[in-house]
Amino acid sequence: MSEKEKYSLLRGLIVASVVPIPLIVTVSQSTFTNPSATLLYIASLLGYIGIVLLLWMYILGTKSIIGLYFHDMAKINQLHSNFGKYGLLLIFAHPIAATLSYGQNLLLYSLVPNISTEFEKHVTYGRLAIFVLLIIWLTSAIMRGKIAFRPWKYIHYLTYLALPLALLHIPDIGISYRTQLGAQFYYLSVLGLFGLFSLFRIRQLFSLGKAPYIIQSHSRASRDVMLLHLTSTNNKGISANKGQYLYLQMRLLGEEHPFSILQYDETTGDLTVAYKTFGSFTNKLSRLQPGTKLYVDGPYGTFTEQIQTSLDKPVVFVAGGIGITPFVDHILRSSSDEQWLFYANQTKESAVFSAPLKAKLGEHCVSILSAETSAVENANDERGYVSPGLFQKYLIRPADYTYFICGPPRMMDITKESLIGLGVAPQQIYSENFSF
């Protein structure tokens, strides 16, 4: 089954999980004649839908299980993100409808904790869940570009509180739960799935299921690019393909980050990763010495499949900086004469794999330097940035090629826009996206 078919099946399961909700929510004689009863009915619908959306977000974020079925985790991550941005708006509508049905003050009743009665105590579980989700939504949908990744990530962990609080909120105040066996069964099913995937997450937290590797060598390829060579400790390492990526974790209970696989040795199972030191995690990683144990999760990504299906077509690789890593092994091993590389860097020093790639591709390797002040030495050396003019200069008919792009997000977006502007069909353009 292809990734596209798997994704379609997943969307079908998500829709199927929501379909029973109107059947389990209690409908009274006054539901559609009394405004307050109508609002309470809508609130109940939205409440159960919210519970299911939170569950799916929790499931989709369980990489150790979802990754067994999907290789394109970036697409799953995008679905997870869309639920967070737009699905949460449905969840926020639940307390609004419930508060209006009670005839209470919208802001005070919905957000201010109240534990004066047993009923209000359980309503407060829901209030706390809404408050947590509101923080997540504001920092992810509104302020994401203004918050650094690490603080955003730690704030995002608050989402783990929302679903259990919402589940505690239902039994003692939910009319449908108290009167409908179907609602109780539905609730218990959600509770069971939450418990199951919580076990999977605990398993992942302690690196169970991840492959232990030892650093065989760790060297500097340039001022800020490192080469990390890993060997499996128990001959049970991962099996990777060209263009895929993996997650590295330095210690138990530690955070993990994705890195492209530069090279995979099919005989020994050894892995080589190239990475740029630009943050706290990579700076700590760069200081690790040979013999240190790391935990590897993966591989992920569908770049390999897409490249392999395009072998009979002219191919253009567009790489920005360390984004060259998914392409190096493929280019150096390929026997095709119909491949080009547009390799964008700031300076000659940062173009760490330029020499072997130029030796392999010759004039089909176009070096683009944005911060280099020295004179142009070769006909296929350029100054500036990736642009439509460069593709037109070197490619006779740009629309005849299949394109693979990897680099900083802004660079990839600009390249896609440039190619589409030159008449390249969107289905001929592939880009690598990590799944943080």
Side-chain angles (χ1 to χ4, degrees), residues 232-251:
S232 174
T233 63
N234 55 10
N235 296 320
K236 294 182 180 180
I238 68 173
S239 178
N241 293 314
K242 297 184 185 73
Q244 291 190 294
Y245 64 92
L246 51 77
Y247 286 84
L248 289 181
Q249 185 179 30
M250 288 185 276
R251 57 183 175 80

Side-chain angles (χ1 to χ4, degrees), residues 19-306:
V19 168
I21 291 176
L23 304 177
I24 64 173
V25 173
T26 299
V27 179
S28 66
Q29 292 182 344
S30 61
T31 295
F32 301 110
T33 57
N34 184 299
S36 293
T38 302
L39 285 169
L40 191 58
Y41 174 75
I42 293 173
S44 297
L45 285 176
L46 292 171
Y48 278 99
I49 292 173
I51 288 288
V52 175
L53 289 180
L54 288 175
L55 177 64
W56 275 112
M57 290 173 66
Y58 195 68
I59 290 173
L60 295 175
T62 311
K63 178 167 56 64
S64 62
I65 299 302
I66 298 299
L68 297 176
Y69 190 65
F70 291 94
H71 292 297
D72 189 1
M73 290 298 294
K75 199 167 186 178
I76 298 299
N77 191 58
Q78 185 59 51
L79 180 60
H80 177 91
S81 177
N82 289 338
F83 277 164
K85 287 181 180 178
Y86 309 113
L88 289 186
L89 296 177
L90 287 175
I91 298 175
F92 294 150
H94 163 71
I96 294 174
T99 301
L100 292 175
S101 73
Y102 299 151
Q104 299 285 342
N105 181 283
L106 188 59
L107 290 177
L108 291 177
Y109 189 77
S110 297
L111 298 178
V112 177
N114 181 354
I115 56 174
S116 59
T117 66
E118 193 67 21
F119 178 85
E120 290 294 345
K121 183 175 74 173
H122 286 85
V123 171
T124 293
Y125 291 142
R127 292 183 180 114
L128 293 175
I130 289 296
F131 187 70
V132 166
L133 292 174
L134 189 58
I135 293 174
I136 299 302
W137 186 80
L138 288 173
T139 54
S140 297
I142 304 298
M143 303 170 60
R144 179 64 187 93
K146 300 177 182 179
I147 301 176
F149 173 74
R150 191 176 297 273
W152 170 83
K153 183 178 181 180
Y154 292 142
I155 293 172
H156 202 70
Y157 285 150
L158 290 173
T159 52
Y160 297 149
L161 299 174
L163 184 53
L165 284 170
L167 289 170
L168 287 171
H169 168 71
I170 289 177
D172 286 328
I173 67 171
I175 297 174
S176 299
Y177 179 86
R178 298 200 305 270
T179 60
Q180 299 279 357
L181 287 176
Q184 294 175 14
F185 177 78
Y186 194 85
Y187 172 85
L188 292 174
S189 299
V190 171
L191 184 62
L193 287 171
F194 172 68
L196 178 63
F197 278 87
S198 293
L199 292 176
F200 291 144
R201 280 181 173 271
I202 293 172
R203 177 177 178 269
Q204 180 179 340
L205 184 66
F206 286 93
S207 299
L208 298 175
K210 296 181 181 179
Y213 276 75
I214 293 292
I215 297 178
Q216 191 174 79
S217 65
H218 207 175
S219 59
R220 191 172 295 277
S222 70
R223 181 171 55 85
D224 57 0
V225 174
M226 302 290 294
L227 290 177
L228 179 64
H229 188 71
L230 302 171
T231 186
S232 174
T233 63
N234 55 10
N235 296 320
K236 294 182 180 180
I238 68 173
S239 178
N241 293 314
K242 297 184 185 73
Q244 291 190 294
Y245 64 92
L246 51 77
Y247 286 84
L248 289 181
Q249 185 179 30
M250 288 185 276
R251 57 183 175 80
L252 292 177
L253 304 180
E255 63 180 315
E256 57 181 12
H257 276 238
F259 298 93
S260 290
I261 299 171
L262 177 67
Q263 190 174 42
Y264 169 70
D265 190 319
E266 296 179 0
T267 303
T268 64
D270 289 358
L271 297 164
T272 303
V273 171
Y275 66 93
K276 184 176 182 179
T277 53
F278 63 91
S280 174
F281 186 91
T282 51
N283 279 316
K284 290 178 182 178
L285 183 64
S286 68
R287 293 192 289 269
L288 297 183
Q289 299 298 314
T292 304
K293 179 185 285 188
L294 294 175
Y295 298 94
V296 173
D297 181 26
Y300 298 102
T302 59
F303 235 18
T304 298
E305 297 174 12
Q306 294 156 353

